[in-house]
Amino acid sequence: MKKYKILPLILLALLLSACGGGSRTGIVVAGSTSVQPYAEYLAEEYEKIFPGAHVEISGGGSSVGVNAVESGVADIGMSSRSLKDYEDHLWSVEIAKDGLAIIINPSNPIDNLTRGQICAIYSGEVTNWSELGGNDARIHVMAREEGSGTRSQFTELVMGNIRITPKAIVQNSNGAIKQLVTNDPYSIGFISLGVVDESVKAIKIDGVAASIENVRNRRYSLYRPFLFITKEEPEGKVKDYIDFVLSDIGKQLLISEGLIP
């Protein structure tokens, strides 16, 4: 996969303006940093199959993706949350489902938490691992930034109307959260299931393991959609690219990266 490239909407607009704005010949895709690495992988494979094609991928968050499409800055927006009511005039398609993993350091003896316990941790009600049967140590809470699709889905699926504690350490990518949890034995975070590896431990939720199979059969309750969004029904080169992503080839590429088409 390509190296992450996270551009705010204004910077993205200036870049495109400098390159000719509406006269651009490539496809510009912007938005969710959770969808970003998979979109980059798909773009690389698309360009191999169609050598004349060019797909430019930038991050910034799900809300940036929606705004970029609305304003015409991007051809395709990426979102790791469902569209809100005031956004549903946009065209969208789900390219895959992704589990939302709650991760802790592998040295932490905790293996299972209920959604209620996770909510209590993230609200600041529970602050010590000993309250959950773990070691006597303060819990270090890691969270994504406001506007992140990952945070939006975590809030919807776990927190409801309860706010995440302002004491949470905020990071702007799955990779940053995973790195902090890898290095901190008393931390907890939430990331895309597709990027979980042996450096962290994805805990069971209400006794159900965080796995692709359990997301597929809906036993694991924390999962979210990965969307591609356009201002109107896609056509031309944008439609061609989206059709590729939804094709059997695209599905197999997503499966190989741990997602569920």
Side-chain angles (χ1 to χ4, degrees), residues 122-192:
Y122 271 86
S123 69
E125 179 185 347
V126 171
T127 59
N128 195 294
W129 284 113
S130 62
E131 299 176 67
L132 303 166
N135 297 324
D136 182 13
R138 186 170 183 82
I139 301 172
H140 301 156
V141 178
M142 313 292 175
R144 289 293 304 275
E145 78 283 9
E146 294 282 357
S148 155
T150 310
R151 179 173 177 136
S152 176
Q153 287 300 105
F154 175 81
T155 299
E156 179 180 327
L157 295 169
V158 176
M159 303 300 294
N161 294 324
I162 300 174
R163 292 183 62 82
I164 293 175
T165 173
K167 295 181 180 180
I169 299 169
V170 176
Q171 297 295 310
N172 65 4
S173 71
N174 280 314
I177 294 285
K178 185 170 75 169
Q179 189 61 50
L180 285 175
V181 174
T182 298
N183 295 332
D184 184 348
Y186 306 121
S187 60
I188 187 170
F190 52 87
I191 63 172
S192 168

Side-chain angles (χ1 to χ4, degrees), residues 2-53:
K2 297 178 184 176
K3 186 177 180 181
Y4 274 59
K5 179 170 40 178
I6 303 174
L7 297 179
L9 186 58
I10 293 175
L11 179 57
L12 180 62
L14 291 173
L15 175 62
L16 294 176
S17 175
C19 295
S23 64
R24 61 180 184 264
T25 58
I27 301 168
V28 176
V29 184
S32 167
T33 56
S34 295
V35 183
Q36 183 181 354
Y38 306 105
E40 289 177 340
Y41 180 46
L42 289 163
E44 288 174 354
E45 297 304 310
Y46 185 71
E47 291 171 358
K48 289 177 185 176
I49 297 171
F50 303 100

Side-chain angles (χ1 to χ4, degrees), residues 28-260:
V28 176
V29 184
S32 167
T33 56
S34 295
V35 183
Q36 183 181 354
Y38 306 105
E40 289 177 340
Y41 180 46
L42 289 163
E44 288 174 354
E45 297 304 310
Y46 185 71
E47 291 171 358
K48 289 177 185 176
I49 297 171
F50 303 100
H54 179 65
V55 184
E56 181 68 24
I57 311 290
S58 299
S62 295
S63 296
V64 166
V66 172
N67 293 334
V69 166
E70 288 265 33
S71 64
V73 171
D75 300 300
I76 300 172
M78 301 177 289
S79 178
S80 55
R81 60 166 172 80
S82 301
L83 292 180
K84 301 181 185 299
D85 289 344
Y86 59 84
E87 299 166 339
D88 64 7
H89 60 284
L90 299 170
W91 184 92
S92 67
V93 64
E94 182 181 284
I95 64 168
K97 284 184 173 64
D98 179 46
L100 191 63
I102 308 301
I103 58 168
I104 58 177
N105 188 276
S107 66
N108 191 322
I110 298 290
D111 288 312
N112 176 74
L113 292 173
T114 66
R115 274 199 283 184
Q117 288 173 321
I118 297 166
C119 180
I121 291 170
Y122 271 86
S123 69
E125 179 185 347
V126 171
T127 59
N128 195 294
W129 284 113
S130 62
E131 299 176 67
L132 303 166
N135 297 324
D136 182 13
R138 186 170 183 82
I139 301 172
H140 301 156
V141 178
M142 313 292 175
R144 289 293 304 275
E145 78 283 9
E146 294 282 357
S148 155
T150 310
R151 179 173 177 136
S152 176
Q153 287 300 105
F154 175 81
T155 299
E156 179 180 327
L157 295 169
V158 176
M159 303 300 294
N161 294 324
I162 300 174
R163 292 183 62 82
I164 293 175
T165 173
K167 295 181 180 180
I169 299 169
V170 176
Q171 297 295 310
N172 65 4
S173 71
N174 280 314
I177 294 285
K178 185 170 75 169
Q179 189 61 50
L180 285 175
V181 174
T182 298
N183 295 332
D184 184 348
Y186 306 121
S187 60
I188 187 170
F190 52 87
I191 63 172
S192 168
L193 178 59
V195 297
V196 170
D197 57 28
E198 66 281 353
S199 67
V200 294
K201 178 165 65 173
I203 60 174
K204 295 176 182 177
I205 308 298
D206 297 309
V208 180
S211 69
I212 292 172
E213 182 58 32
N214 284 337
V215 171
R216 185 178 289 114
N217 63 30
R218 301 191 179 187
R219 289 188 63 229
Y220 185 76
S221 58
L222 303 189
Y223 62 88
R224 61 207 174 127
F226 277 180
L227 304 180
F228 271 5
I229 305 162
T230 58
K231 194 168 187 177
E232 299 173 341
E233 187 167 348
E235 55 185 31
K237 63 188 178 184
V238 174
K239 182 180 185 301
D240 291 341
Y241 177 60
I242 293 176
D243 285 347
F244 166 77
V245 172
L246 298 176
S247 71
D248 288 342
I249 295 174
K251 289 177 182 177
Q252 289 304 314
L253 291 171
L254 291 171
I255 289 171
S256 72
E257 294 299 313
L259 296 184
I260 306 161

